Short mmCIF file of all heavy atoms in Angstrom, two decimals:
data_model
loop_
_atom_site.label_atom_id
_atom_site.label_comp_id
_atom_site.label_asym_id
_atom_site.label_seq_id
_atom_site.Cartn_x
_atom_site.Cartn_y
_atom_site.Cartn_z
N ARG A 194 46.54 73.90 46.13
CA ARG A 194 46.42 74.67 47.36
C ARG A 194 47.34 75.90 47.34
O ARG A 194 46.96 76.98 47.80
CB ARG A 194 46.75 73.79 48.56
CG ARG A 194 45.66 72.81 48.94
CD ARG A 194 45.91 72.21 50.30
NE ARG A 194 47.10 71.39 50.32
CZ ARG A 194 47.12 70.09 50.09
NH1 ARG A 194 45.97 69.47 49.82
NH2 ARG A 194 48.23 69.39 50.13
N ARG A 197 45.78 78.49 45.25
CA ARG A 197 44.62 79.04 45.94
C ARG A 197 45.05 80.05 47.00
O ARG A 197 44.47 81.12 47.14
CB ARG A 197 43.83 77.89 46.58
CG ARG A 197 42.53 78.32 47.25
CD ARG A 197 41.84 77.10 47.80
NE ARG A 197 41.66 76.10 46.78
CZ ARG A 197 41.52 74.80 47.00
NH1 ARG A 197 41.57 74.35 48.24
NH2 ARG A 197 41.34 73.96 46.00
N GLN A 198 46.09 79.69 47.76
CA GLN A 198 46.58 80.61 48.78
C GLN A 198 47.16 81.87 48.16
O GLN A 198 47.06 82.95 48.71
CB GLN A 198 47.63 79.91 49.65
CG GLN A 198 47.04 78.80 50.50
CD GLN A 198 48.09 77.93 51.15
OE1 GLN A 198 49.28 78.16 50.96
NE2 GLN A 198 47.65 76.93 51.90
N HIS A 200 46.01 83.23 45.44
CA HIS A 200 44.88 84.05 45.03
C HIS A 200 44.24 84.76 46.20
O HIS A 200 43.64 85.82 46.03
CB HIS A 200 43.83 83.19 44.32
CG HIS A 200 44.13 82.96 42.86
ND1 HIS A 200 43.93 83.93 41.92
CD2 HIS A 200 44.61 81.87 42.21
CE1 HIS A 200 44.27 83.45 40.72
NE2 HIS A 200 44.69 82.20 40.88
N THR A 201 44.29 84.17 47.40
CA THR A 201 43.65 84.82 48.54
C THR A 201 44.34 86.11 48.93
O THR A 201 43.81 86.89 49.71
CB THR A 201 43.64 83.87 49.76
OG1 THR A 201 44.98 83.54 50.11
CG2 THR A 201 42.86 82.61 49.46
N ARG A 202 45.53 86.36 48.39
CA ARG A 202 46.23 87.60 48.69
C ARG A 202 45.96 88.68 47.65
O ARG A 202 46.57 89.73 47.67
CB ARG A 202 47.74 87.32 48.79
CG ARG A 202 48.12 86.46 49.97
CD ARG A 202 49.63 86.40 50.13
NE ARG A 202 50.27 85.68 49.04
CZ ARG A 202 50.50 84.37 49.08
NH1 ARG A 202 50.10 83.65 50.10
NH2 ARG A 202 51.10 83.76 48.07
N THR A 253 32.80 80.46 46.04
CA THR A 253 32.79 81.79 46.63
C THR A 253 34.18 82.27 46.96
O THR A 253 34.35 83.35 47.47
CB THR A 253 31.95 81.79 47.92
OG1 THR A 253 32.50 80.83 48.82
CG2 THR A 253 30.51 81.46 47.64
N GLY A 254 35.16 81.48 46.68
CA GLY A 254 36.52 81.90 46.99
C GLY A 254 37.04 82.87 45.97
O GLY A 254 36.50 83.05 44.89
N PRO A 255 38.13 83.55 46.23
CA PRO A 255 38.72 84.50 45.31
C PRO A 255 39.13 83.82 44.03
O PRO A 255 39.64 82.73 44.01
CB PRO A 255 39.94 85.02 46.09
CG PRO A 255 39.73 84.61 47.50
CD PRO A 255 38.87 83.43 47.48
N GLN A 258 38.01 80.13 43.10
CA GLN A 258 38.71 78.95 43.56
C GLN A 258 37.78 78.00 44.25
O GLN A 258 36.82 78.39 44.90
CB GLN A 258 39.84 79.35 44.52
CG GLN A 258 40.90 80.20 43.87
CD GLN A 258 41.49 79.53 42.66
OE1 GLN A 258 41.98 78.44 42.73
NE2 GLN A 258 41.41 80.17 41.52
N SER A 259 38.05 76.71 44.12
CA SER A 259 37.34 75.71 44.87
C SER A 259 37.93 75.62 46.25
O SER A 259 38.94 76.21 46.56
CB SER A 259 37.44 74.36 44.17
OG SER A 259 38.79 73.94 44.15
N GLY A 260 37.29 74.82 47.09
CA GLY A 260 37.79 74.68 48.44
C GLY A 260 37.31 75.83 49.30
O GLY A 260 36.61 76.73 48.86
N THR A 261 37.68 75.81 50.56
CA THR A 261 37.22 76.80 51.51
C THR A 261 38.17 77.98 51.56
O THR A 261 39.37 77.80 51.76
CB THR A 261 37.09 76.17 52.90
OG1 THR A 261 36.22 75.04 52.81
CG2 THR A 261 36.53 77.15 53.90
N ASP A 262 37.65 79.17 51.38
CA ASP A 262 38.45 80.38 51.48
C ASP A 262 38.57 80.74 52.96
O ASP A 262 37.65 81.30 53.56
CB ASP A 262 37.79 81.52 50.70
CG ASP A 262 38.66 82.76 50.63
OD1 ASP A 262 39.74 82.75 51.26
OD2 ASP A 262 38.27 83.72 49.96
N LEU A 263 39.71 80.40 53.56
CA LEU A 263 39.89 80.61 55.00
C LEU A 263 40.00 82.08 55.36
O LEU A 263 39.90 82.44 56.53
CB LEU A 263 41.14 79.85 55.48
CG LEU A 263 41.14 78.35 55.23
CD1 LEU A 263 42.43 77.73 55.75
CD2 LEU A 263 39.94 77.69 55.86
N SER A 264 40.24 82.94 54.37
CA SER A 264 40.38 84.37 54.66
C SER A 264 39.04 85.04 54.87
O SER A 264 39.00 86.16 55.38
CB SER A 264 41.13 85.05 53.51
OG SER A 264 40.37 84.96 52.31
N VAL A 265 37.94 84.39 54.46
CA VAL A 265 36.61 84.98 54.63
C VAL A 265 36.02 84.50 55.94
O VAL A 265 36.02 83.30 56.22
CB VAL A 265 35.69 84.58 53.45
CG1 VAL A 265 34.30 85.16 53.65
CG2 VAL A 265 36.28 85.07 52.14
N PRO A 266 35.53 85.39 56.79
CA PRO A 266 34.95 84.95 58.06
C PRO A 266 33.71 84.11 57.85
O PRO A 266 33.16 84.05 56.75
CB PRO A 266 34.62 86.28 58.76
CG PRO A 266 34.48 87.28 57.66
CD PRO A 266 35.45 86.85 56.59
N GLU A 267 33.26 83.46 58.91
CA GLU A 267 32.07 82.62 58.81
C GLU A 267 30.87 83.46 58.39
O GLU A 267 30.68 84.58 58.84
CB GLU A 267 31.78 81.96 60.16
CG GLU A 267 32.83 80.95 60.59
CD GLU A 267 32.46 80.28 61.90
OE1 GLU A 267 31.27 80.29 62.26
OE2 GLU A 267 33.36 79.75 62.57
N ARG A 268 30.07 82.86 57.49
CA ARG A 268 28.88 83.54 56.98
C ARG A 268 27.66 82.69 57.26
O ARG A 268 27.74 81.47 57.36
CB ARG A 268 29.01 83.81 55.48
CG ARG A 268 30.12 84.77 55.11
CD ARG A 268 30.32 84.86 53.61
NE ARG A 268 30.98 83.68 53.08
CZ ARG A 268 31.32 83.53 51.82
NH1 ARG A 268 31.05 84.49 50.95
NH2 ARG A 268 31.92 82.45 51.40
N ASP A 271 27.10 79.74 54.94
CA ASP A 271 28.07 78.64 54.92
C ASP A 271 27.47 77.39 55.55
O ASP A 271 26.74 77.47 56.55
CB ASP A 271 29.34 79.02 55.69
CG ASP A 271 30.25 79.94 54.91
OD1 ASP A 271 30.26 79.83 53.67
OD2 ASP A 271 30.95 80.76 55.53
N GLY A 274 29.88 72.33 57.82
CA GLY A 274 31.18 71.74 57.52
C GLY A 274 32.19 72.79 57.08
O GLY A 274 33.36 72.73 57.46
N VAL A 275 31.76 73.76 56.28
CA VAL A 275 32.65 74.84 55.86
C VAL A 275 33.04 75.69 57.06
O VAL A 275 34.20 76.10 57.21
CB VAL A 275 31.97 75.70 54.77
CG1 VAL A 275 32.77 76.96 54.48
CG2 VAL A 275 31.81 74.89 53.49
N ARG A 276 32.09 75.96 57.95
CA ARG A 276 32.40 76.74 59.15
C ARG A 276 33.39 76.01 60.04
O ARG A 276 34.25 76.63 60.67
CB ARG A 276 31.10 77.04 59.90
CG ARG A 276 30.17 77.99 59.14
CD ARG A 276 28.81 78.08 59.76
NE ARG A 276 28.87 78.66 61.10
CZ ARG A 276 27.81 78.81 61.89
NH1 ARG A 276 26.61 78.43 61.45
NH2 ARG A 276 27.94 79.33 63.10
N LEU A 277 33.28 74.68 60.09
CA LEU A 277 34.25 73.89 60.86
C LEU A 277 35.64 74.05 60.28
O LEU A 277 36.63 74.24 61.01
CB LEU A 277 33.83 72.42 60.87
CG LEU A 277 34.82 71.44 61.51
CD1 LEU A 277 34.92 71.71 63.01
CD2 LEU A 277 34.42 70.01 61.24
N THR A 278 35.75 73.98 58.94
CA THR A 278 37.05 74.13 58.29
C THR A 278 37.64 75.51 58.56
O THR A 278 38.84 75.65 58.80
CB THR A 278 36.90 73.91 56.77
OG1 THR A 278 36.31 72.63 56.54
CG2 THR A 278 38.24 73.97 56.08
N LYS A 279 36.81 76.54 58.55
CA LYS A 279 37.30 77.90 58.80
C LYS A 279 37.78 78.05 60.24
O LYS A 279 38.71 78.82 60.51
CB LYS A 279 36.20 78.91 58.49
CG LYS A 279 35.91 79.05 56.99
CD LYS A 279 34.82 80.07 56.74
CE LYS A 279 34.58 80.24 55.23
NZ LYS A 279 33.53 81.22 54.92
N ARG A 280 37.15 77.34 61.16
CA ARG A 280 37.56 77.44 62.56
C ARG A 280 38.89 76.74 62.80
O ARG A 280 39.72 77.20 63.57
CB ARG A 280 36.49 76.84 63.47
CG ARG A 280 35.21 77.67 63.55
CD ARG A 280 34.25 77.12 64.58
NE ARG A 280 33.00 77.87 64.59
CZ ARG A 280 32.01 77.66 65.45
NH1 ARG A 280 32.15 76.73 66.39
NH2 ARG A 280 30.91 78.37 65.39
N LEU A 281 39.06 75.61 62.14
CA LEU A 281 40.24 74.80 62.41
C LEU A 281 41.39 75.10 61.47
O LEU A 281 42.53 74.70 61.72
CB LEU A 281 39.89 73.31 62.31
CG LEU A 281 38.83 72.81 63.30
CD1 LEU A 281 38.54 71.35 63.06
CD2 LEU A 281 39.30 73.03 64.73
N GLY A 282 41.10 75.78 60.34
CA GLY A 282 42.14 76.02 59.35
C GLY A 282 42.47 74.73 58.63
O GLY A 282 41.62 73.88 58.41
N THR A 283 43.72 74.55 58.26
CA THR A 283 44.15 73.35 57.56
C THR A 283 44.18 72.19 58.54
O THR A 283 44.88 72.22 59.53
CB THR A 283 45.54 73.56 56.95
OG1 THR A 283 45.48 74.67 56.06
CG2 THR A 283 45.97 72.32 56.18
N LEU A 284 43.43 71.14 58.22
CA LEU A 284 43.36 69.99 59.10
C LEU A 284 44.53 69.07 58.87
O LEU A 284 44.92 68.82 57.73
CB LEU A 284 42.05 69.22 58.86
CG LEU A 284 40.76 70.01 59.12
CD1 LEU A 284 39.57 69.16 58.78
CD2 LEU A 284 40.69 70.46 60.55
N GLY A 391 38.40 66.38 55.80
CA GLY A 391 39.62 66.79 55.14
C GLY A 391 39.67 68.29 54.98
O GLY A 391 38.68 68.99 55.17
N GLU A 392 40.82 68.78 54.60
CA GLU A 392 40.99 70.23 54.48
C GLU A 392 40.24 70.81 53.30
O GLU A 392 39.98 72.01 53.25
CB GLU A 392 42.48 70.58 54.38
CG GLU A 392 43.18 69.94 53.21
CD GLU A 392 44.66 70.25 53.23
OE1 GLU A 392 44.99 71.40 52.96
OE2 GLU A 392 45.46 69.35 53.52
N ASN A 393 39.87 69.97 52.31
CA ASN A 393 39.13 70.46 51.15
C ASN A 393 37.67 70.05 51.18
O ASN A 393 36.94 70.31 50.23
CB ASN A 393 39.77 69.94 49.86
CG ASN A 393 41.17 70.48 49.67
OD1 ASN A 393 41.40 71.67 49.82
ND2 ASN A 393 42.11 69.61 49.36
N GLY A 394 37.22 69.38 52.23
CA GLY A 394 35.84 68.93 52.30
C GLY A 394 35.76 67.56 52.95
O GLY A 394 36.54 67.23 53.84
N ASP A 412 31.64 73.47 50.17
CA ASP A 412 31.20 74.81 49.78
C ASP A 412 30.59 74.84 48.39
O ASP A 412 30.16 75.90 47.93
CB ASP A 412 32.36 75.81 49.87
CG ASP A 412 33.52 75.44 48.96
OD1 ASP A 412 33.60 74.26 48.58
OD2 ASP A 412 34.33 76.32 48.65
N ALA A 609 29.94 89.55 52.46
CA ALA A 609 30.94 89.18 53.47
C ALA A 609 32.28 88.90 52.82
O ALA A 609 33.34 89.30 53.33
CB ALA A 609 30.46 87.97 54.27
N ALA A 610 32.27 88.20 51.67
CA ALA A 610 33.51 87.91 50.96
C ALA A 610 34.15 89.19 50.44
O ALA A 610 35.36 89.39 50.55
CB ALA A 610 33.25 86.93 49.83
N ALA A 613 35.72 91.13 53.29
CA ALA A 613 36.96 90.52 53.78
C ALA A 613 38.11 90.79 52.83
O ALA A 613 39.22 91.11 53.25
CB ALA A 613 36.75 89.02 53.95
N HIS A 614 37.87 90.69 51.50
CA HIS A 614 38.93 90.93 50.52
C HIS A 614 39.35 92.40 50.52
O HIS A 614 40.53 92.72 50.38
CB HIS A 614 38.47 90.50 49.13
CG HIS A 614 38.22 89.04 49.01
ND1 HIS A 614 39.05 88.10 49.55
CD2 HIS A 614 37.21 88.36 48.42
CE1 HIS A 614 38.57 86.90 49.31
NE2 HIS A 614 37.45 87.02 48.62
N ARG A 617 41.47 93.02 53.60
CA ARG A 617 42.78 92.40 53.47
C ARG A 617 43.66 93.19 52.52
O ARG A 617 44.85 93.38 52.75
CB ARG A 617 42.63 90.95 52.99
CG ARG A 617 43.94 90.20 52.95
CD ARG A 617 43.72 88.72 52.68
NE ARG A 617 43.02 88.48 51.43
CZ ARG A 617 41.76 88.09 51.35
NH1 ARG A 617 41.04 87.93 52.44
NH2 ARG A 617 41.20 87.87 50.18
#
Side-chain angles (χ1 to χ4, degrees):
R194 285 194 294 268
R197 184 178 305 156
Q198 292 169 0
H200 277 284
T201 60
R202 293 188 293 270
T253 58
Q258 297 304 304
S259 64
T261 304
D262 187 356
L263 302 180
S264 63
V265 178
E267 293 183 21
R268 295 173 286 183
D271 282 329
V275 170
R276 293 170 64 182
L277 174 67
T278 304
K279 289 180 178 180
R280 290 186 184 185
L281 299 178
T283 302
L284 299 178
E392 58 184 289
N393 295 313
D412 60 339
H614 295 317
R617 185 171 59 253

